[in-house]
Amino acid sequence: MWDSQSLVKLIEEKLQDYLFIVVSNREPYIHTLRGNEIVYHVPPSGLTVALDPVMRACGGIWIAHGSGNGDREAVDKANKVMVPPDDPKYTLKRLWLTPEQEERYYSGFSNEALWPLCHIVYTRPVFRELDWKMYKKVNALFADSILEEVKDKKAFVFIQDYHLSLVAKMLKEKSPNIITALFWHIPWPNPEAFRICPWQNEILEGLLANNLLGFHIRHHCNNFLETVSRAMDTFVDQVKSEVHYQGRKSLVSPFPISIDFERISMEAQAKEVNDEIGNLMKRFNLSGEEIIGIGIDRFDYTKGIPDRLRAIEKFLKNNPQYIGKFVFIQVGVSSRESIKAYKAINKEIDKLVEDINWKYSMGHRKPIICLRENFPQLSLLALRRMARFCIVSSLHDGMNLVAKEYVASRFDNEGVLILSRFTGAARELTDAVLINPYATDDFAEAIKFTLKMPLSEQKERMEKMRKVIQENNIYKWAADSITELVKFQFGA
Ligand code: GDG
C-alpha cells in the first residue's frame, strides 16, 4: 500500500536531479490580515486538498496565484514562502494578478466558459472574446513564472486543471525539453458538447503539448481522445491511448484522485473531535435523539444541492413519522459569488430551505440547517462522525472528494453514503447507495432505504468502501502519475 514514505522513496529514486514543480491557479495556503496579525487558512478546494500531502512528501515548488490580503506580506522578495506554515515542507511561490485579470481569466473564461462547458448540468457557457484574451495572457504569466525557476535545469512540471490549459505549449516553445503533465480535475464532455467552444482547437493544441494528460476516469479519457480525433489532424492510437500530433506524442491516462485516507481516519479518532461533536450539538440545539444527515460542498450548481433538498422534502412528505426526528445539516462555503449562475443557485437553495423548514418543522425543530461558512477541518471531522448518512448528489463531478472523506472518517464502519452516479467516485464506491439526483422520487426512496438499513449492512458496505479508498489513496494517485511521467526522458 502506498504511503508518504514510499512516495518519498519513489521520488528520490525516480526524480533524482530533476526539479519538481506543481502549478495551479488556487494556492494551498492563503494568508490573510487580522488586524496587524497575518493568519492563514486552507481553501476549500478538492485540488489543493489532494495535492498538499503529495507536496509535503516530495518537497519541490508549488506556483499559484496569491489571492489572500496577507499573501504579499508573507512572502520573501522572490515571492516565496515555505509551507505548511506550521511545519514547513515545500516552497509556495505566488504570482499576482490584477483585479481585471482575475475577473476575466478566472471568473470569466475559466468559470463561466470552461466550467459549465465540461460539466453537463445544462448551465449555458458564456464565451467572451475579452475573457479568452485575458486567459491567454494569464497562462503566459504562469509559464514565465515557471521558466524563471527552471532556467536550464532538468524539470518535471505538473500542471493542474482547466485554468492552465495553454501553459505546456507556452513552456515548450521556449524550453522544449521540459517534461510536463497536466491533470484535468473536472469531467471531459463528449465531442458534441465540447465543440461549441469557439477556441476549442487552441485549447486542444495547448493540452497536446503535454507529455502526459490525466483524467479521473477512463470515460473522460475516451471523450478527450474522441474530441481531438474529430477536431484536429491527429493520429490517435486507441490501444496505447496516445495522441500523435505535429511530431509529438501525448499519453492520455486515467488516475482516479483520492485523499490521505490514513491521516483522515486517524484524525477522526482524536479526543478533540469528540469535544467538537459536543460543541456542534449545542450550537445546533440537538439532543442526541435526532437522525442526522450531512452535506458538505462548495455552493456550486454542479453539486446538486437543490436536488437533494427536493428529495428530502419528498421524503418528509411521504414519511411524516420522521418529522421532528430528522435533521439535515448542509454546510460549506459560498463560491464564485460574482457570477450570475452562482447568485441564482444560492437564491434557489435559500428558498427551498425556507419552504421545507416552514412546511416540516415540529416545535423548534427545523429539518434543515444550512450554513455558508468555511468550517475548520476539526468541525468537518465532527460533522462526518455525527452523521448517520452523508449525501453527495452532484449532477456531474470529476471525482468528488467529499464522498471519500466521509468514508475515511467513519473508522467505526457506521454510516451510509448516498452518492450520485454521475460522480467519478461512484465508479469506485459501488457500495454506496447510488442515486440519480434528477430522479426526485427514487432519491427520496433512497433516503428511506438508508434510514432503514440494518447496522450489519451499513458496516459491511462501509468496510468495503474503506478498503477501496485505503488501497487507492492519494499517494497511489501521485505514485502512478509520477511513475508514468518519469518514463519521459529529458531531452529525448
Ligand atoms: C474539483 C472537482 C475533484 C467543502 N466545504 C468546506 C470544505 N470543503 C472541502 C471538502 C473537499 C473539497 O472542499 C471539495 O472537493 P471536491 O472534490 O468535492 O470538489 P471541487 O472543489 O469541485 O474539486 C472534483 C477535485 O477537483 C479533485 O480533483 O474531486 O470533482 O470538481 O475536500 O471537504 N473545506 C473546509 N471548509 C468547508 O466549509 N475546510
Side-chain angles (χ1 to χ4, degrees):
M1 199 175 314
W2 284 97
D3 60 15
S4 68
Q5 277 160 8
S6 47
L7 181 65
V8 170
K9 213 164 145 242
L10 174 93
I11 284 160
E12 280 169 0
E13 271 168 26
K14 304 271 183 172
L15 294 186
Q16 292 165 0
D17 48 346
Y18 278 82
L19 178 63
F20 187 62
I21 300 180
V22 162
V23 49
S24 66
N25 170 70
R26 171 80 66 232
E27 53 182 345
Y29 296 91
I30 301 181
H31 288 94
T32 46
L33 296 173
R34 196 191 286 153
N36 288 333
E37 203 194 344
I38 302 180
V39 294
Y40 77 88
H41 72 273
V42 173
S45 135
L47 181 159
T48 55
V49 163
L51 273 155
D52 180 61
V54 176
M55 288 301 276
R56 285 180 196 227
C58 71
I61 305 177
W62 184 328
I63 300 177
H65 165 220
S67 57
N69 66 6
D71 275 354
R72 283 179 196 263
E73 275 78 358
V75 294
D76 62 17
K77 280 194 191 126
N79 294 319
K80 291 177 182 168
V81 56
M82 290 297 288
V83 290
D86 295 338
D87 180 22
K89 288 279 191 318
Y90 63 93
T91 305
L92 170 62
K93 182 186 178 192
R94 290 176 170 142
L95 63 78
W96 316 108
L97 300 178
T98 64
E100 198 203 346
Q101 285 171 335
E102 215 180 319
E103 173 64 29
R104 294 212 167 272
Y105 136 83
Y106 178 72
S107 298
F109 195 70
S110 299
N111 288 328
E112 278 191 277
L114 285 177
W115 177 267
L117 178 71
C118 291
H119 289 90
I120 309 205
V121 296
Y122 310 100
T123 297
R124 185 179 168 138
V126 183
F127 299 111
R128 296 184 198 95
E129 182 92 33
L130 285 176
D131 290 354
W132 166 241
K133 283 192 177 143
M134 192 61 92
Y135 179 86
K136 289 200 274 192
K137 253 194 203 157
V138 173
N139 270 242
L141 290 180
F142 274 91
D144 288 346
S145 178
I146 297 165
L147 289 166
E148 204 177 87
E149 294 306 312
V150 175
K151 297 201 174 85
D152 52 2
K153 296 184 205 97
K154 287 159 70 174
F156 287 114
V157 179
F158 194 7
I159 305 162
Q160 307 301 317
D161 232 355
Y162 60 100
H163 314 87
L164 303 173
S165 66
L166 309 176
V167 167
K169 185 161 182 258
M170 293 166 168
L171 289 178
K172 297 214 175 168
E173 276 161 4
K174 296 202 173 133
S175 184
N177 292 329
I178 297 179
I179 298 168
T180 68
L182 182 141
F183 191 79
W184 192 263
H185 288 258
I186 61 177
W188 190 280
N190 62 64
E192 270 312 302
F194 198 79
R195 81 191 186 111
I196 66 165
C197 175
W199 305 288
Q200 86 153 339
N201 284 28
E202 276 175 82
I203 290 172
L204 294 175
E205 271 195 13
L207 291 173
L208 290 177
N210 286 285
N211 303 81
L212 178 65
L213 273 166
F215 295 91
H216 291 298
I217 57 175
R218 170 55 60 195
H219 181 62
H220 300 156
C221 296
N222 291 345
N223 279 346
F224 178 77
L225 292 175
E226 222 181 309
T227 307
V228 289
S229 71
R230 287 207 203 173
M232 303 172 79
D233 192 12
T234 53
F235 167 67
V236 176
D237 184 333
Q238 295 287 354
V239 178
K240 291 189 181 157
S241 198
E242 282 172 0
V243 184
H244 297 248
Y245 179 63
Q246 294 187 338
R248 267 199 310 256
K249 182 177 86 178
S250 307
L251 176 68
V252 179
S253 285
F255 300 102
I257 210 162
S258 196
I259 52 167
D260 189 344
F261 176 88
E262 299 294 346
R263 185 165 141 209
I264 296 181
S265 182
M266 212 177 65
E267 284 175 0
Q269 298 174 48
K271 183 190 162 293
E272 291 78 10
V273 178
N274 291 336
D275 299 342
E276 182 64 6
I277 292 177
N279 295 337
L280 291 175
M281 297 286 284
K282 247 192 235 147
R283 178 175 172 190
F284 298 143
N285 200 8
L286 298 169
S287 67
E289 296 293 306
E290 301 84 356
I291 299 167
I292 300 172
I294 55 162
I296 301 174
D297 310 77
R298 277 188 309 103
F299 279 64
D300 191 294
Y301 55 78
T302 61
K303 303 292 179 187
I305 301 171
D307 307 77
R308 87 183 56 151
L309 293 172
R310 279 191 281 272
I312 290 170
E313 179 171 26
K314 194 74 189 229
F315 160 77
L316 290 172
K317 183 170 181 239
N318 294 348
N319 303 280
Q321 68 276 21
Y322 285 101
I323 298 171
K325 298 183 188 129
F326 175 101
V327 180
F328 186 77
I329 307 172
Q330 174 66 53
V331 302
V333 280
S334 291
S335 198
R336 307 171 190 172
E337 286 153 83
S338 62
I339 299 174
K340 223 164 122 193
Y342 286 77
K343 287 194 183 108
I345 199 78
N346 277 305
K347 238 172 137 182
E348 188 182 357
I349 292 169
D350 288 344
K351 173 90 176 58
L352 277 161
V353 171
E354 205 185 304
D355 282 359
I356 299 170
N357 281 343
W358 186 77
K359 280 190 207 150
Y360 298 106
S361 287
M362 184 178 271
H364 74 279
R365 171 56 48 229
K366 292 179 176 161
I368 314 279
I369 297 170
C370 180
L371 295 165
R372 284 181 190 83
E373 270 177 46
N374 189 356
F375 276 83
Q377 287 306 324
L378 184 65
S379 310
L380 296 184
L381 287 165
L383 281 166
R384 296 184 203 121
R385 288 261 320 274
M386 284 159 70
R388 169 73 201 285
F389 66 99
C390 171
I391 301 185
V392 171
S393 54
S394 312
L395 305 179
H396 200 190
D397 214 329
M399 175 53 68
N400 194 288
L401 297 180
V402 172
K404 293 188 172 182
E405 289 162 346
Y406 176 65
V407 172
S409 306
R410 296 316 301 243
F411 61 90
D412 55 359
N413 288 329
E414 291 182 22
V416 181
L417 173 65
I418 300 181
L419 178 61
S420 161
R421 293 178 189 283
F422 312 129
T423 59
R427 313 274 167 138
E428 294 172 84
L429 303 178
T430 49
D431 283 288
V433 173
L434 295 177
I435 51 115
N436 171 354
Y438 292 89
T440 310
D441 289 340
D442 293 351
F443 192 169
E445 275 303 302
I447 297 175
K448 186 173 174 194
F449 171 77
T450 295
L451 299 193
K452 290 200 163 294
M453 189 185 289
L455 192 58
S456 58
E457 184 180 341
Q458 280 181 45
K459 288 196 172 218
E460 209 176 293
R461 286 173 181 253
M462 188 55 85
E463 218 171 309
K464 284 193 195 153
M465 290 193 286
R466 286 175 64 79
K467 276 210 182 100
V468 170
I469 306 176
Q470 189 170 31
E471 184 72 31
N472 299 291
N473 60 21
I474 186 61
Y475 299 108
K476 181 171 189 307
W477 175 82
D480 287 349
S481 324
I482 289 169
T483 304
E484 277 306 329
L485 190 61
V486 296
K487 288 185 187 158
F488 298 94
Q489 293 292 313
F490 185 84

